[in-house]
Amino acid sequence: VELFYGGDYVLNPIITILLSIDLFIICMQGAIGELVDALGYFRQERKMYFFYALTNLSLSIIGAKIWGIIPVFVATVLSQLLGWIWRSVIAYKIYFKSKARFYQYWFEQLKYIAFFTFSSAIAFLTIKFILLSKSYLMFIVYGILIELIIMVMFIVNYRKKDDYAYMKMLLKKVIPKR
């Protein structure tokens, strides 16, 4: 934003972090949300959407009047998190009827959250040590560097998992051999 429009339009870094967390939650709850939708549990979700809207609006309005724009993003993240938890309850406790699988699911999700947080922090700290003047080159170099760091961390962390082997097999099918 600073490169294209100037420093006057740059938002607080906390907002960038909150938007990243929001995107992470949206991506992580996608599969469980699709499952719940496909199963037709719309009645159970109706309560969630009401609570979701109530939480988001009330926290946003109250927070914005007192502290400004940041609480609006905090409210969105909290609402998304509540929706994710609610959908997992619907899937695991109502459909699968298994508290153990519910807790196993959240144990796995917490590991993904920890990995996301750790890899983001490492990437952020790494680019802080590389000082480039604000330019298009800096934007490109930082983008490539962040992607490489996260990709290497992903490979190192997940290379022995079944999901990694599956994704590797899919990539081999898509990318032609030369």
Side-chain angles (χ1 to χ4, degrees), residues 134-151:
K134 292 186 184 348
S135 66
Y136 295 111
L137 176 65
M138 175 213 67
F139 182 72
I140 293 168
V141 169
Y142 283 177
I144 292 170
L145 189 60
I146 288 169
E147 288 299 321
L148 285 173
I149 290 167
I150 291 176
M151 187 171 59

Side-chain angles (χ1 to χ4, degrees), residues 57-68 71:
L57 282 171
S58 59
L59 290 176
S60 292
I61 292 168
I62 293 167
K65 285 188 179 280
I66 298 171
W67 295 292

Side-chain angles (χ1 to χ4, degrees), residues 56-126:
N56 198 345
L57 282 171
S58 59
L59 290 176
S60 292
I61 292 168
I62 293 167
K65 285 188 179 280
I66 298 171
W67 295 292
I69 193 170
I70 292 176
V72 174
F73 293 99
V74 171
T76 301
V77 168
L78 288 175
S79 298
Q80 289 281 19
L81 182 60
L82 291 173
W84 185 13
I85 293 168
W86 194 299
R87 285 188 176 109
S88 65
V89 167
I90 292 170
Y92 286 100
K93 292 189 176 179
I94 296 173
Y95 179 71
F96 292 122
K97 297 179 184 359
S98 173
K99 285 184 182 179
R101 288 177 76 182
F102 172 78
Y103 293 120
Q104 181 183 6
Y105 170 80
W106 275 103
F107 180 71
E108 289 298 316
Q109 299 313 303
L110 289 173
K111 289 195 300 190
Y112 289 128
I113 291 167
F115 175 76
F116 171 75
T117 304
F118 181 73
S119 60
S120 297
I122 294 295
F124 178 76
L125 291 172
T126 302

